[in-house]
Amino acid sequence: MVDKSLELFDCGHRACGGCGPALAARLIMKGAGANTIVVASTGCMEVFSTPYPETAWKTPWIHSLFQNAAAVASGVEASLKKQGRDEKVVAICGDGATFDIGMLCISGAFERGHDITYICYDNEAYMNTGIQRSGATPYDASTTTSPAGRNSLGNSRPKKDLPRILAAHGAPYVATASVSYPNDLMQKVERAVNTPGPCYIQIHTPCSTGWGFEGSKTIEMGKLAIQTGLWVNFEMVDGEVVKAKKVVRKPVEEYLKVQKRFRHLFRPQPNTEEIAKIQAIADKNAERYGIDIKQKPQE
Amino acid sequence: MRKIMEGSHAVAEAVRLIRPGVISAYPITPQTHIVERLAEMVADGDLDADYITVESEFSALSACLGASAAGSRVYSATTSQGLAFMFEVLFNVAGMRQPVVMSIVNRALGAPLSIWNDHQDSVSCRDSGWFQLYAEDAQESMDLHFLAYRVAEDHDVLLPGFVCFDGFILSHTYEPVDMPTQEEIDAYLPPFVPVNVLDAKNPISMGMYATPDYYTEFRYDIDRAMDRAKDLLVTAGRELGESIGRDYSGLVEEYRLEDADTAFVAMGSLCGTVKDAIDEMRDSGIKAGLLKIRSYRPFPRAEIAKALSGVSRVAVLEKNVSLGSAMKGAVGPEVKDALWGSGIDVFSYVLGLGGRDVRKKDIAAINALSIAGKGDMFYGLREELI
């Protein structure tokens, strides 16, 4: 059972107001529990939580480099195993560290079958360095390296499907979660750390600074992503989807129009052709994961 | 026990006696015979270690870092491109003060691709915060591992270290090697006791970032630890001698230097060739000697100055090149610095790159060049290719 009163990620850190990743850290640790060693990548969370000599972490925590958390976690796990110790090993890394630069180490760690939980806090771009695109950036999002312009509609590629890539490595448990659904998030972390073998959780962590919305709207933004079908909360066990959160879907415009990173799709007037492409991504998600709640026809 | 062994296998036997808890390595020529033999030992139950067969050298060293931080004695081995791929992690391991010990089976760096020996790989990691020891033969390749762990894990040091030995020349040749007993090594090298460790019962944060208010002092601390490593290499090298009968208290080693006019300076297996060449030169009335550098980092400046104080000239034989530098070799300028103000000429000679043989007649030819005042150059270039 998750002990919701457990606070292992302390206050006083230096994240922006309304930071999705900071909330994710707090919830992850409630789910993982105190008998946990955290391995971090370089990135926002590392920087806002551990400026020497201060730390927000109340469990053992180690950071080495941007791209090697999965390998460091492999070593920690091997050492614990050799010593007969029972701490859980949880890597917590951003989407750049996970989708892009850390892929080699992650693939190796998952193929070797280490008993680790790798959690990606996915804010959909390199936020720590100033909002550059990553392999997790959604289609058409404007970032500082995929800016919308006269010849650009923002990021030209869809988001990499990392959960399935890691499921294909034979991961026994793969899940997606969102800071907007904290109970679900904590339960998934608890399940992952108690599942032997390499498990992966990808958490949607809205970033007010990078996406361009008020810091008070973080939870709302995460919910809209789910409600439009642009983010799906699901669980995969041994490579099969066993559960996905069902919704009465809203049109994608409701999610897009409230964020600066998609503003160019609505100015000077809505780009219906492009918005339709994003709607198609949501429709495909809905079909793939069966998330649509069939509404009864109106009388 | 004396045995005829391949150099790589002698090193693997040393690692077995050292009892690492975690081994993490990625295969690369000419390091493979070490990691294959270690895998066999683990498979046969002769070595009780967790062996992580990583997907890259980058992960090999990263996993060593994690395992060390969690409290295990760790081991890895690599060379050349593999060491270059670890470059980012090297600085990190040193900065986080993890006493990782790694065998470097010295090999050239591409391009052009070369699997053969020189010292470019480890010399290029000079400023990474790892101490670097160079072995002359299979016996020394084995023994320096005992010394390296003893120094690395000492609480006054806590620095990672390389044990460097020449690819193929030492790694793939057979020599008689005297094997210490497990009891001798257990007594010399007690189990690893970490100072700071990842432990849920006593949580700490490791690897935090430092602002300009703190960064410099972290770097200064590493340099101080390097100074203490220099002292400890001497005392622990002497104790190793008392244990196994072979003394390694010298950061440098002298050979027929007492009345030498020309002093050669070299590292690694080349020293054997130079000693033979010196014997021949001495037989024909040429007074030459050798100063072997065993510890390149920490650099034994005072020991070099003392050992070379009476010579007329110094020829530094370099299996590396610092491209674009005045002396061409990387070691020469530091030897010259050690002798600053003495009036002794110091020249560098870049040779033996990418596995090119260095013969006794080359050493004699370099002696003549140094007498003629010619140096700071590539030696033995094939003029027809230039």
Side-chain angles (χ1 to χ4, degrees):
Chain A
M1 274 293 286
V2 171
D3 178 2
K4 292 181 195 170
S5 69
L6 199 60
E7 297 289 359
L8 297 169
F9 183 77
D10 220 340
C11 54
H13 58 73
R14 299 170 185 196
C16 307
C19 173
L23 177 54
R26 192 173 160 213
L27 297 171
I28 289 165
M29 295 317 295
K30 286 173 189 284
N35 195 36
T36 300
I37 293 172
V38 175
V39 181
S41 64
T42 308
C44 268
M45 190 184 287
E46 172 255 334
V47 168
F48 70 62
S49 68
T50 64
Y52 181 86
E54 298 164 14
T55 182
W57 299 88
K58 294 172 134 182
T59 60
W61 177 96
I62 182 170
H63 157 257
S64 167
L65 296 168
F66 196 2
Q67 69 275 44
N68 69 351
V72 173
S74 300
V76 172
E77 182 255 11
S79 174
L80 297 181
K81 194 168 66 179
K82 183 72 178 52
Q83 295 177 64
R85 287 164 56 183
D86 67 350
E87 288 115 309
K88 309 292 186 190
V89 181
V90 176
I92 308 178
C93 310
D95 53 282
T98 304
F99 282 61
D100 295 348
I101 198 167
M103 272 300 281
L104 173 72
C105 297
I106 297 167
S107 179
F110 274 65
E111 174 272 318
R112 293 190 300 271
H114 292 280
D115 187 13
I116 61 172
T117 296
Y118 189 105
I119 298 175
C120 172
Y121 65 94
D122 181 5
N123 53 19
E124 303 191 322
Y126 291 91
M127 298 314 186
N128 190 45
T129 42
I131 319 161
Q132 294 86 16
R133 83 168 291 275
S134 77
T137 302
Y139 183 69
D140 273 357
S142 182
T143 73
T144 55
T145 52
S146 63
R150 278 189 297 278
N151 295 320
S152 165
L153 288 160
N155 185 45
S156 62
R157 298 288 302 157
K159 196 178 176 81
K160 191 193 281 189
D161 192 352
L162 201 60
R164 281 174 187 269
I165 292 169
L166 293 177
H169 280 68
Y173 182 71
V174 170
T176 53
S178 164
V179 288
S180 302
Y181 298 87
N183 287 329
D184 177 69
L185 190 162
M186 290 183 285
Q187 282 161 14
K188 283 171 173 168
V189 172
E190 189 195 31
R191 180 167 181 179
V193 299
N194 288 303
T195 301
C199 299
Y200 177 68
I201 301 177
Q202 188 168 301
I203 302 174
H204 205 217
T205 53
C207 170
S208 60
T209 310
W211 298 5
F213 61 82
E214 285 297 318
S216 59
K217 305 283 187 196
T218 302
I219 301 301
E220 191 178 310
M221 216 55 61
K223 284 190 172 168
L224 278 170
I226 298 260
Q227 287 161 355
T228 54
L230 285 173
W231 182 275
V232 179
N233 269 355
F234 62 84
E235 287 180 295
M236 294 174 84
V237 173
D238 295 331
E240 300 297 326
V241 177
V242 295
K243 199 175 161 192
K245 180 171 176 57
K246 290 186 185 292
V247 291
V248 178
R249 271 200 297 148
K250 295 177 175 174
V252 294
E253 285 95 326
E254 294 198 25
Y255 178 62
L256 303 177
K257 70 188 179 192
V258 290
Q259 302 176 52
K260 271 190 193 163
R261 62 177 174 163
F262 296 115
R263 182 171 58 182
H264 56 286
L265 299 177
F266 298 91
R267 291 184 181 186
Q269 57 273 322
N271 184 337
T272 50
E273 190 185 336
E274 208 56 24
I275 293 168
K277 288 184 193 170
I278 298 175
Q279 185 61 55
I281 293 171
D283 292 347
K284 196 174 158 193
N285 281 343
E287 189 188 338
R288 189 177 204 181
Y289 294 99
I291 59 171
D292 282 334
I293 295 172
K294 300 282 183 278
Q295 285 182 291
K296 287 178 186 165
Q298 301 275 323
E299 291 295 324
Chain B
M1 189 175 48
R2 209 164 164 79
K3 278 180 143 179
I4 303 287
M5 297 178 86
E6 193 191 73
S8 293
H9 294 164
V11 168
E13 289 298 331
V15 174
R16 181 179 62 77
L17 293 169
I18 284 161
R19 302 181 191 269
V22 175
I23 296 169
S24 176
Y26 184 81
I28 178 168
T29 303
Q31 155 264 38
T32 44
H33 289 188
I34 303 173
V35 296
E36 289 167 1
R37 180 51 61 92
L38 289 171
E40 288 168 12
M41 290 174 178
V42 172
D44 289 336
D46 295 329
L47 172 58
D48 181 22
D50 195 289
Y51 190 122
I52 313 176
T53 51
V54 281
E55 81 297 333
S56 69
E57 289 90 355
F58 180 80
S59 280
L61 190 53
S62 299
C64 281
L65 171 67
S68 179
S72 289
R73 176 176 286 162
V74 299
Y75 172 77
S76 192
T78 192
T79 174
S80 182
Q81 314 300 139
L83 184 56
F85 196 17
M86 288 178 175
F87 194 67
E88 188 183 6
V89 197
L90 289 178
F91 284 74
N92 213 251
V93 170
M96 290 172 75
R97 305 297 294 276
Q98 296 301 320
V100 178
V101 172
M102 195 154 56
S103 304
I104 307 299
V105 192
N106 287 113
R107 172 186 143 180
L109 276 165
L113 178 68
S114 166
I115 60 167
W116 294 281
N117 167 251
D118 64 34
H119 292 164
Q120 195 68 56
D121 50 1
S122 51
V123 166
S124 297
C125 300
R126 183 186 66 185
D127 300 330
S128 62
W130 291 57
F131 64 80
Q132 296 193 15
L133 309 178
Y134 287 76
E136 180 181 341
D137 54 24
Q139 184 71 68
E140 191 172 8
S141 303
M142 171 188 249
D143 293 342
L144 289 183
H145 284 81
F146 308 129
L147 179 63
Y149 275 93
R150 175 72 179 271
V151 171
E153 292 175 0
D154 190 283
H155 288 188
D156 283 338
V157 175
L158 290 175
L159 285 179
F162 291 170
V163 177
C164 304
F165 60 104
D166 289 318
F168 294 113
I169 299 169
L170 295 180
S171 65
H172 284 57
T173 53
Y174 282 71
E175 290 181 39
V177 174
D178 186 60
M179 287 259 297
T181 64
Q182 186 67 65
E183 292 69 34
E184 283 168 339
I185 298 308
D186 285 349
Y188 179 73
L189 189 66
F192 173 43
V193 180
V195 174
N196 294 310
V197 66
L198 297 168
D199 177 5
K201 289 185 221 51
N202 180 28
I204 55 165
S205 290
M206 299 172 75
M208 304 154 80
Y209 80 92
T211 59
D213 289 337
Y214 294 99
Y215 182 83
T216 304
E217 284 70 21
F218 276 106
R219 306 301 288 170
Y220 174 74
D221 278 349
I222 299 172
D223 190 59
R224 289 291 309 279
M226 208 47 107
D227 285 345
R228 292 192 294 272
K230 200 159 85 150
D231 296 336
L232 189 62
L233 279 164
V234 173
T235 54
R238 184 175 302 124
E239 285 173 35
L240 183 59
E242 287 159 9
S243 170
I244 64 173
R246 291 178 294 280
D247 186 279
Y248 290 97
S249 61
L251 302 164
V252 295
E253 214 175 76
E254 299 177 26
Y255 184 77
R256 303 188 80 169
L257 261 183
E258 57 285 349
D259 60 344
D261 293 326
T262 301
F264 295 99
V265 173
M267 306 194 295
S269 65
L270 182 57
C271 293
T273 310
V274 176
K275 286 174 184 173
D276 284 350
I278 286 169
D279 290 346
E280 287 185 4
M281 283 189 263
R282 290 244 172 204
D283 288 346
S284 56
I286 299 167
K287 285 196 250 176
L290 167 70
L291 185 71
K292 162 175 145 181
I293 296 179
R294 179 178 286 133
S295 170
Y296 176 49
R297 281 293 177 275
F299 192 75
R301 187 175 187 269
E303 291 79 359
I304 289 172
K306 185 162 172 273
L308 298 180
S309 60
V311 305
S312 304
R313 69 195 74 82
V314 176
V316 185
L317 309 175
E318 312 242 26
K319 283 191 173 182
N320 75 82
V321 54
S322 178
L323 296 165
S325 74
M327 287 187 74
K328 308 305 173 197
V331 182
E334 287 189 271
V335 173
K336 198 166 188 170
D337 168 64
L339 295 173
W340 187 81
S342 68
I344 300 168
D345 285 332
V346 179
F347 302 111
S348 272
Y349 301 89
V350 172
L351 80 180
L353 297 187
R356 185 166 296 181
D357 275 343
V358 181
R359 300 150 301 181
K360 286 183 285 187
K361 65 179 181 183
D362 297 319
I363 308 303
I366 286 170
N367 180 52
L369 283 169
S370 72
I371 291 168
K374 290 182 185 160
D376 300 345
M377 59 191 278
F378 283 70
Y379 169 80
L381 289 171
R382 292 181 59 193
E383 296 296 337
E384 72 275 20
L385 295 180
I386 298 167

